[in-house]
Amino acid sequence: MNYTQAAELCQNFFPDLTPSELSGMIHGLFGHGFVIESGRWQQHMSEFLASGEPLPDPALEGLEQLIAFCQKDYQVDSFSIDLMRPEDDLPLEQRARAIGEWCQGYLAGYGLVPSKDGKELEGEAKEALHDIGEIAQIDFEMSEPDEEMEKAFMTVCEHIKMSALLLFQANQPEPMPDPEQQQLH
């Protein structure tokens, strides 16, 4: 799914959200350990996006495509977050605003998932969530963009990606110890 397709999905079914916000929200859900269960994700999405009202089939189909698009970023062979934002040929201010919206969506999605074990984030993971929160609040009014600003924008995007991956990894369940490797002395 690309930005234009996600924009159409939002325009048709979720007019209060931008494509970046919706994508960020789904990434935030994954980042906090949300697991897409067949048969249950539709109810979860209707709770998150429509106050529990059933979503029409075309909205569910579009969400399924967007979820699959986002979920691929967390596969072992990928681990590269795709920030849904306008193409690079659009003005920097528009792309920067979309990144802020992605971060806002990420925080919303992250906050929708209850902590499974009640543990608090620590260290780098806590800092990563804080950074995403700070980026979500940035004012994107800018003077004439130049090459320096373009480089700074790309650096911020990479930082967001790394932060989202770090949070995803921090919220994975602890592996169960192998009983065969535990020995009594």
Side-chain angles (χ1 to χ4, degrees), residues 65 101 107 160:
Q65 291 174 13
E101 292 166 352
L107 294 171
I160 294 168

Side-chain angles (χ1 to χ4, degrees), residues 1-162:
M1 176 168 278
N2 62 35
Y3 187 84
T4 303
Q5 291 167 322
E8 189 175 311
L9 175 66
C10 288
Q11 183 179 355
N12 291 336
F13 302 106
F14 312 110
D16 294 337
L17 295 173
T18 67
S20 298
E21 279 178 300
L22 183 57
S23 172
M25 186 192 90
I26 292 169
H27 279 282
L29 291 168
F30 287 135
H32 203 183
F34 182 75
V35 177
I36 301 295
E37 301 171 30
S38 63
R40 298 214 44 220
W41 72 266
Q42 296 90 339
Q43 180 60 36
H44 289 297
M45 289 294 130
S46 72
E47 289 169 10
F48 297 152
L49 297 169
S51 303
E53 295 295 319
L55 293 169
D57 287 342
L60 290 172
E61 290 166 12
L63 279 173
E64 187 171 24
Q65 291 174 13
L66 184 58
I67 288 168
F69 177 81
C70 296
Q71 193 172 28
K72 75 171 175 39
D73 294 343
Y74 300 97
Q75 304 303 314
V76 175
D77 60 342
S78 173
F79 273 134
S80 176
I81 304 292
D82 188 342
L83 302 176
M84 183 151 302
R85 61 181 178 82
E87 297 297 322
D88 288 339
D89 59 344
L90 291 171
L92 178 59
E93 187 173 332
Q94 188 177 350
R95 292 179 284 137
R97 185 169 286 108
I99 291 304
E101 292 166 352
W102 190 96
C103 289
Q104 290 168 7
Y106 186 94
L107 294 171
Y110 192 91
L112 289 171
V113 179
S115 183
K116 291 180 179 134
D117 54 11
K119 76 176 185 179
E120 295 279 324
L121 287 176
E122 297 175 348
E124 290 180 341
K126 186 175 184 177
E127 188 176 322
L129 188 60
H130 175 77
D131 289 351
I132 290 174
E134 291 292 312
I135 295 166
Q137 297 177 37
I138 289 177
D139 179 13
F140 294 102
E141 297 295 323
M142 55 184 76
S143 58
E144 194 64 34
D146 59 13
E147 192 172 322
E148 286 285 318
M149 292 177 90
E150 193 71 45
K151 285 180 183 176
F153 173 74
M154 297 309 290
T155 300
V156 168
C157 288
E158 289 305 312
H159 184 72
I160 294 168
K161 292 175 183 183
M162 294 307 298

